[in-house]
Amino acid sequence: MRSLSWKLAGALLLIVAISVGLMAYLINLNTTREFNQYVAQGNQKNIQSTSAALSQLYSKEGNWDGIQSLLPDFLRSPNDRLVVADATGIIVGDSINQWVGKTAGSVGLSNGTTITASGQDVGELYLITSQVGNGKGFMGGGKGGTSSTPTSVATLEQDFIDRFNNSLLTTGLIVAAIALIVGLILTRQITRPIKALVNGVRQIARGNLKHRVDIRSKDELGNLGESFNAMAVNLDKAEQERKRIVADIAHDLRTPLTVIEGTVTGIQDGVFQPDKEHLDTIKEQTSLLTRLTSDLRDLSLAESGQLKLVLAPTDLADLAQRKANQFAVKAQEKGIKINTNLPGNLSNVNIDPARIEQVLGNLITNAIRHTSSGSIKISIQQVNSDAAHQVNKPSLILSVADTGEGIAEEHLPHIFERFYRVEKSRAKSEGGSGLGLAIVKQMVQAHGGNVWVESKIGKGSTFNISLPT
């Protein structure tokens, strides 16, 4: 039995069988006890009322003459038997007229109910409620004058209990059958989503990342189905991203390699002279390859959590000023001025200076690349929190704002993705690899900070990073 459906159905059937069986046993036990008690109480009341009637009869007549003919009128059931003995123990009345004239002791009767008249004991009354044999074997009842045998109960009472037990058994079987049918339906409701999930896992394992499971229940299995579909969507996106990254890397590697190969081949064939111009071309392309491989390594380490940070208390304003000075000449070549707003009383931040310099360098390079003319402003402000940008602790916010072309709103959610370019042809022509902003995001997050961008078309962009103090 390897199927979960059969395991659940079998477990349910076992539980139902045990529950119904135990319930039937306890009901039978309790009903038999209560019924016997009810019968005993009925016998007790019957013999007391009969004793009272016989007492009145004796008081009226003064003797037991005629009692034999009157006894059948006092019988509650055809299976009952009444026996009356006088004060000396001689049986003067028997509802079946068998023991008249014999003594009560000689036929085994004892502990009868005393009949009194005018304050005197005038006889004993015996009620016999079960019969064994043909007259012999009647036992005198215990207290209260009822009688029974050790091995049987009255026929009517036993017949009632038998019918009750049969009814209870039939009801139990019907209940068990209904419970089993309902259980099988519920089991199907449980196992059907599980089967769908198993099939979904197999489809994903075979590479079918477009497969989705259809589970509409509103319970935990429904939540599991939604989580599975979300996982499949993420896997599909990751696979598409992987393919795109591989294609971008192959393209970015192929372009400089093609230039290098073409230049070297031209020199070898005598088409080009090995002069400074062509050697500079080779050097430029090798530098591009070196930067690309270095960026890929840093990004891979950051995303896997293996980027090692050498943290030290650092004056962020001083670091930003030095970086601005380094890029001033390159900015001036494009007619761009770099301005700074760096307060001198800021708290030091515990950062890896080399990594944050790399972050700031990427942001300034990006600003220069996308600004034709105008200015770039580097500023720092100290805040306690900024819930809108997930800054929930005292931090320094470093901003690099440009007056460039700006970024369309549809590109903003993707701007920090690997190899994402707003204008691919322009970025490639200016040496962009599409990894700079992805590296910025990963390195800032490795410091426990956050990064975001604000931009409007034609008015420029502002890139912000937060670093906890």
Side-chain angles (χ1 to χ4, degrees):
M1 188 183 295
R2 299 176 60 186
S3 171
L4 181 60
S5 300
W6 286 108
K7 289 181 180 179
L8 288 174
L12 181 64
L13 180 60
L14 180 61
I15 292 173
V16 169
I18 293 175
S19 301
V20 172
L22 182 61
M23 179 187 68
Y25 171 75
L26 293 177
I27 291 176
N28 175 264
L29 191 66
N30 185 66
T31 302
T32 301
R33 183 179 66 251
E34 293 295 329
F35 182 76
N36 288 335
Q37 184 176 357
Y38 169 78
V39 171
Q41 290 175 350
N43 290 338
Q44 178 71 17
K45 292 180 179 179
N46 181 53
I47 198 168
Q48 287 177 351
S49 62
T50 302
S51 175
L54 292 176
S55 176
Q56 293 178 359
L57 178 63
Y58 188 90
S59 298
K60 180 179 179 181
E61 300 293 336
N63 55 56
W64 290 114
D65 294 343
I67 188 63
Q68 178 63 32
S69 61
L70 296 175
L71 276 182
D73 296 335
F74 293 103
L75 291 176
R76 184 191 63 171
S77 167
N79 293 317
D80 290 346
R81 182 178 181 180
L82 287 175
V83 177
V84 177
D86 61 14
T88 62
I90 301 299
I91 296 175
V92 295
D94 181 357
S95 61
I96 65 173
N97 196 21
Q98 184 178 11
W99 290 340
V100 175
K102 297 182 179 180
T103 62
S106 66
V107 295
L109 297 178
S110 61
N111 298 323
T113 299
T114 302
I115 303 172
T116 60
S118 302
Q120 295 182 351
D121 296 340
V122 296
E124 296 282 335
L125 173 64
Y126 301 92
L127 173 63
I128 303 172
T129 58
S130 59
Q131 182 177 355
V132 178
N134 187 24
K136 296 184 178 180
F138 285 102
M139 303 296 293
K143 298 295 182 181
T146 60
S147 65
S148 64
T149 68
T151 58
S152 65
V153 297
T155 303
L156 290 178
E157 287 86 345
Q158 184 62 45
D159 183 57
F160 170 82
I161 293 176
D162 289 342
R163 290 198 308 271
F164 174 80
N165 287 338
N166 291 334
S167 176
L168 185 63
L169 177 61
T170 302
T171 303
L173 291 176
I174 294 174
V175 170
I178 294 174
L180 182 59
I181 293 172
V182 173
L184 290 174
I185 295 174
L186 294 177
T187 298
R188 177 177 170 80
Q189 295 297 318
I190 295 173
T191 56
R192 183 169 55 186
I194 294 177
K195 290 178 180 178
L197 287 169
V198 171
N199 181 59
V201 170
R202 290 173 179 168
Q203 292 293 329
I204 295 295
R206 293 169 184 165
N208 182 14
L209 301 181
K210 300 294 184 182
H211 182 80
R212 303 292 182 266
V213 297
D214 183 18
I215 299 177
R216 302 178 183 178
S217 58
K218 302 299 182 181
D219 52 16
E220 289 79 358
L221 288 174
N223 294 334
L224 182 59
E226 292 177 359
S227 299
F228 177 89
N229 288 337
M231 178 198 69
V233 170
N234 291 332
L235 286 175
D236 190 26
K237 288 182 178 179
E239 178 62 16
Q240 298 303 320
E241 179 72 6
R242 183 190 66 82
K243 292 179 179 179
R244 186 174 65 83
I245 289 173
V246 171
D248 286 339
I249 292 176
H251 183 277
D252 286 347
L253 290 175
R254 183 170 59 249
T255 300
L257 288 174
T258 301
V259 174
I260 293 172
E261 182 182 18
T263 304
V264 171
T265 301
I267 293 174
Q268 289 177 335
D269 293 343
V271 178
F272 302 139
Q273 294 297 320
D275 52 19
K276 183 178 183 302
E277 178 185 355
H278 291 93
L279 292 177
D280 286 345
T281 300
I282 294 174
K283 185 178 185 303
E284 179 183 343
Q285 297 303 315
T286 55
S287 297
L288 179 60
L289 287 172
T290 301
R291 184 168 69 252
L292 178 60
T293 54
S294 177
D295 287 347
L296 286 171
R297 181 201 61 194
D298 291 342
L299 186 60
S300 176
L301 290 173
E303 289 181 338
S304 63
Q306 297 179 357
L307 182 66
K308 294 183 179 180
L309 301 178
V310 182
L311 302 177
T314 304
D315 185 343
L316 187 60
D318 180 65
L319 184 151
Q321 187 62 60
R322 287 189 285 106
K323 208 65 182 173
N325 295 337
Q326 292 176 12
F327 281 89
V329 175
K330 185 176 181 180
Q332 288 177 0
E333 292 176 354
K334 292 189 65 174
I336 302 170
K337 184 178 180 180
I338 297 182
N339 301 317
T340 59
N341 179 18
L342 308 171
N345 58 347
L346 297 174
S347 303
N348 286 345
V349 286
N350 197 35
I351 59 174
D352 184 332
R355 295 301 184 185
I356 297 303
E357 276 197 49
Q358 183 180 1
V359 167
L360 187 54
N362 286 351
L363 291 179
I364 297 175
T365 299
N366 187 71
I368 293 174
R369 180 180 299 132
H370 294 283
T371 303
S372 300
S373 62
S375 64
I376 296 173
K377 182 179 179 180
I378 303 174
S379 61
I380 300 177
Q381 61 175 322
Q382 190 160 6
V383 299
N384 290 323
S385 64
D386 185 351
H389 300 109
Q390 300 179 5
V391 180
N392 53 14
K393 61 181 69 174
S395 304
L396 293 184
I397 296 181
L398 173 62
S399 301
V400 177
D402 63 60
T403 58
E405 61 210 28
I407 305 170
E409 185 175 354
E410 65 267 19
H411 294 297
L412 293 179
H414 310 287
I415 201 68
F416 294 102
E417 295 177 2
R418 293 172 294 181
F419 293 105
Y420 190 86
R421 301 183 184 92
V422 176
E423 298 181 43
K424 295 185 178 182
S425 60
R426 180 175 179 181
K428 288 179 181 296
S429 66
E430 297 185 5
S433 65
L435 295 174
L437 293 179
I439 290 175
V440 168
K441 179 180 179 180
Q442 293 298 329
M443 289 191 175
V444 171
Q445 289 182 343
H447 283 80
N450 194 25
V451 58
W452 66 96
V453 61
E454 301 164 342
S455 183
K456 291 185 178 181
I457 292 292
K459 294 185 178 181
S461 305
T462 300
F463 286 84
N464 307 279
I465 64 172
S466 65
L467 296 170
T469 56

